[in-house]
Amino acid sequence: MFRFGVDYYPEHWPETRWPEDARLMAAAGINVVRLAEFAWSKMEPSDGVFDFAWLDRAIDLLAAHGIAVILGTPTASPPPWLMGAHPDAYRVGPDGRRWTYGNRREYCPTHAAYRAHSRRITEAMAQHYATNPAVIGWQTDNEFGDRCYCPTCVDNFQGWLRGHYEDLTELNERWGTVFWSHIYNGWEEIPPPLATGGSPNPGLALAFYRFASDSYVTFQQEQIDILRAQCPNHFITHNFMGFGYDRINYFDLARNLDFVSWDNYQRMQWTMSTGVIDPAAGALAADTMRGLKQKNFWIMEQQAGSGGWEMVSVAPRPGEIRLWAYQSIAHGADAIVFFRWRTMRYGTEQYWHGILDHHGIPGRRYDEVRRMGDEITRAGNDIFGSTVRAKVAIVLSYDARFAFQIQPNNPQFDYPRHIGQIYRALHAQNIPVDIVAPTDDLSGYALVIAPSVYVLPDDVAANLVEYVRDGGLLVVTQRSGVKDDDNTVVNMKLPGLLAEVCGIEVAEYDSLAPDMSNAVEFVLPGMTRETMAAVGTWCDVLELAGAEAVALYTQDYYAGTPAITRNHFGAGQAIYIGTVGGDPFYATLTQWLLELAALEPLMETPAPVEVTERWQGDRRLLFVLNHSDSEQSVNPGGAFVDLLTNETIDDTVTLAPRGVLVLAAA
Ligand code: GAL
């Protein structure tokens, strides 16, 4: 069943208001709510004293209106009594300073007493709600994140290292601790990469970032184990933070969950320098979240009003809330839960606007959600469970992401932005894309792009090489194959383990200052020789070792040498891109790559119109999304019915500003 819901905080409002809330929700088509993820001090007002009576009453009332419930374990926001008793449970930042009380997410994920409290509240909630028929699932904590550098974590890091290295001799060798006399004689000597220690050993820093990521994975696992044992019929999920969050290996965090949920905010109070929304950013976030398990996801928090803590974001324009929600669905959402039901009068998030304003009287945003509720009531069953089938994959490596945090290589280079640029070029052409883990099975893809696989463990290299050998079309970009699994530079010519498959060697490289640039000229037969595109940031100087040149640099001491190459290897081809371009560069490149891969856009549309598809068995659903505030015309090229209105479309159709169509063959 397609779930359409809200994040609801009954504890923020007088109980006398609850019936009106439930009535308004049901009238808007709401069939699920998430509750309690920040209600620890209401559920356990003092150490070991539990009170679920208020929550029971809220759940009963919602259930009477046909609304199901997801419960959040409340561990993102510990009560003052807990933190007061354990001052060493506060997280320590990279500057070595301990957090204090006042916000949320201030806890250390490895602290033994904190973990014991987390298990106890999870156990108490699970026991209490295991048989409540209104409860259908659980959200662990809330948006796990942030590295902790406290002494407990340092102890645990040293223990983690013992499990990952044979002995200290091996560790010293693999990290090259001989440099600057860092040779460790005891595990307890190994420090965390605190800012006070200066620029760290890259091997140590990557190990610590992996450990910090694992510490949340294991913290979550304790809650999962309890919930699985107590509530075998309930699902377990967590609300992830999209593509942008970069401190946890999200593939690992997702592994033992039933499905991924994530929080989709497109107008934030921090991004006020422009009122423009990039639709590709929302699409990339959604495709990444689908990619964590290669499975449909839930939106656990879909923006429903202006965001705001100290500042207030641009208000969602009329139609935007609905458009963003349909964009999420277009990329694989099987549920939309809006954050939040009603804007809170108190607290840090006083200005984080919900569907209802502070006064609680329905207005424009409520009407927009109710309209969508009607549409979902009509079309939800057609959409639910249908899947995205992409022929293009982009490889996302959290190892590379962490390693670039340690050494960006060039101040203008940003790994996620690099992925985003390539993704945006495909998105602009209405090409469905999967985001995949470096060791995922690639055999089903016509085109695989592996941007800057900077850290390249043997198994990842083998996976990419095998894909090409078996007939795949692989694209690798600059700074790939530079480091081994320990963040140590490989002892071979770059791109290291990918040199042979790419048929090139990096003779040298040039890291460009912001006022330096180059340009490339495409020279492959069949490409327009005149096509020039500006590049910068980084230029690999390449020697051909079997590959052919696709584009040449036009300037500087390496003018006339290859910037982009193509190599036939086994039954497939590998393309190497040795430099970083702007949008026109990736537009030209992806058009050529799509031709090579024999892939066609889903539909030719004006620039602001996005098209995606989901498949319900053999039935294709086309999502047509107008991201502009003006009317746009498209011709889907066939006879379709719009599932949202039941209208037939067999010719050019005009989309309203921020309009949406969900088309199925008539
Ligand atoms: C999310 C978080 C919510 C709320 C929202 C708005 O990141 O999960 O609890 O804080 O942002 O700030």
Side-chain angles (χ1 to χ4, degrees), residues 9 38 104 142-143 239 263 265 301 309 339 349 352:
Y9 302 90
F38 291 116
R104 61 175 172 183
N142 190 82
E143 295 186 338
N239 56 334
D263 299 343
Y265 293 99
E301 299 180 16
W309 285 21
F339 186 90
E349 294 198 345
W352 206 285

Side-chain angles (χ1 to χ4, degrees), residues 122 424 486 594 629:
T122 304
R424 190 173 326 113
D486 289 293
L594 293 172
D629 56 7

